[in-house]
Amino acid sequence: MDAQKLSFYQWAMEKAEQHRHYFLERPLDSDSVRDFSRQAEESLLRQKQMEAEDKGSFEEFLSHYYAQYICCQD
């Protein structure tokens, strides 16, 4: 970054473009596409099931969320 006088944003965008070109030149085979599609469908189904089972309020969620960090407080 320093040698090329790039901002972090410019450097990150160049890296993103390099990765984009790399993966566009190497398309996934049909088995991989099918497997990723299946995993996505299963994930969405699990998410719906988890959300349907959730009975707590948002306040309860926050309470449990912040409770996990009690050990890190002074």
Side-chain angles (χ1 to χ4, degrees):
M1 275 180 14
D2 287 338
Q4 296 176 325
K5 304 277 189 230
L6 297 175
S7 69
F8 176 76
Y9 175 80
Q10 291 168 322
W11 176 83
M13 285 301 295
E14 283 188 14
K15 288 296 174 190
E17 277 298 313
Q18 289 171 4
H19 286 111
R20 178 180 175 272
H21 289 294
Y22 175 86
F23 287 108
L24 284 175
E25 293 173 2
R26 294 160 182 82
L28 293 174
D29 58 83
S30 60
D31 288 339
S32 294
V33 171
R34 188 171 30 258
D35 189 44
F36 284 130
S37 295
R38 180 187 53 75
Q39 289 180 48
E41 289 174 13
E42 290 174 0
S43 175
L44 290 171
L45 179 60
R46 283 193 309 272
Q47 178 184 359
K48 285 182 183 180
Q49 290 170 340
M50 289 173 64
E51 290 174 352
E53 294 169 358
D54 185 21
K55 304 294 184 219
S57 69
F58 185 65
E59 288 75 20
E60 289 172 319
F61 166 78
L62 286 177
S63 175
H64 289 281
Y65 179 80
Y66 288 120
Q68 68 184 334
Y69 298 108
I70 290 175
C71 66
C72 303
Q73 297 176 355
D74 292 327

